[in-house]
Amino acid sequence: MVIKDYLKRTIEEKWAIGHFNFSEDEALRAIVESAAKLKTPIFIGTSEGEKKHIGIKQAVNLVRAFREEFGIPIFLNADHHKTLEGVKEAVDAGYDAILADFSAKPFEENIKLTKQAVLYAKSKNPDIIVEGELGYVRGESKIQKEIIEIKTEDLTKPEEAAQFVKETGVDMLAPAVGNIHGIVTSSKESIDIDIISNIKRAVGENIYLVLHGASGLGGTDLKNSINAGISMIHINTEIRVAFTEALRKSVAQMPEETTPYKILTPSIEAMKKVIEEKLRIFGSINKI
Ligand code: G3H
Ligand code: ZN
C-alpha cells in the first residue's frame, strides 16, 4: 500500500498515522520496533537539524534497512524544511515526503515557495507526498518554560487554507489550531476542534491535515482532533524527554559503565513506552 492509501483510510476509518522524529539510531530503532510490534504504518521525520546530525544519506539508507528488516510501511519525511535548497536536497536523496515549511513568510510568498517545492518534488518523484504549513505554530521541540501566548491571527483561516491548497498543489496541510511545539509548562495548549473541522471542510477530503506539536496533549484532545479530520500526528519532544531522562538515570546508576549500548538501552525502552502509548491513542494499530 502506498502512502495515499493509508491517508485515505485515516479519514474513512477515523485514525491517524503517527509521525515521530529521530536524529540517531536509538530513536529510529524505538520507533520502528514499536510500529512493528503494534502493526502500524509509521512516518519518521528528520528536521533540518536532525538531518544534519544523522546525515542525509545515512537517514535514507538506515530507514531503508529498517524497512527491509521489519517489512512494515515506514515513510521518511523531511520535517519543517524551510528553504527550497533543503527541500530539493531531501527529494534528491530519496525522502518519501517533505514538509515545505514557509509559514513564517507572508501568505502570498508562502504560496509561491510551497508551489515551487511541490513542482520540484513531483517532477523528481510523482509519488512523493508534499505538506505545506499555514498559520503560526509557536514553540520548539523542547520543554517550554516561558509563557507562550497564541494570538487569534496565528490561527489558520479556513478560507485561506482552501486557497493555499488549491494554488500550491500540496497533498497535506499543517494548520495552526491552538497547537504549540514542545511541552509547555507555563501556558495552556488547547486545541480548537471547530477550527480543525472547518479547515477540513474547506480543503476537502483529499487533502490530509497534520497536527504538529502534539507532545503534552492529552488523549481526549488527540482523539477529538482525529474525529474532526486530522490524519497525521507529530510527536518529538516527548520522545526526546524520554531519551534524555533515561540516559541521565543510566549514567548516574552506572558510573563505571563505558559500553555505550549498555548505557543507551534504557533510553530505547523509555522511548518505546511513549511511542506505543501514542500509537494506541492514534488508533493506528493493526492497520497494516
Ligand atoms: O514536527 C515536529 C512536531 O510537530 C513535534 O512537536 O515537539 O510538540 O512533539 P512536539
Ligand atoms: Zn512540527
Side-chain angles (χ1 to χ4, degrees), residues 19-21 45 47 50 77 79-80 99 131 133 137-142 144 179-184 189 210-217 233-240:
H19 176 296
F20 299 88
N21 292 67
S47 65
E50 288 159 342
N77 180 41
D79 197 21
H80 291 292
L99 164 50
E131 176 184 354
E133 181 157 334
V137 179
R138 292 176 185 264
E140 288 170 50
S141 288
K142 60 176 193 177
Q144 302 275 175
N179 42 337
I180 299 171
H181 280 121
I183 297 175
V184 289
E189 187 174 11
V210 182
L211 182 67
H212 281 255
S215 282
L217 289 175
I233 301 182
H234 279 230
I235 300 278
N236 192 358
T237 309
E238 283 192 46
I239 57 172
R240 287 181 170 184

Side-chain angles (χ1 to χ4, degrees), residues 26 44 86 104 119 159 163 168 178 186-187 191 212 238 243 255 261:
E26 282 68 31
I44 302 194
L119 289 174
E159 57 292 356
Q163 186 186 342
T168 58
S186 312
S187 324
I191 303 299
H212 281 255
E238 283 192 46
F243 177 98
Y261 64 78

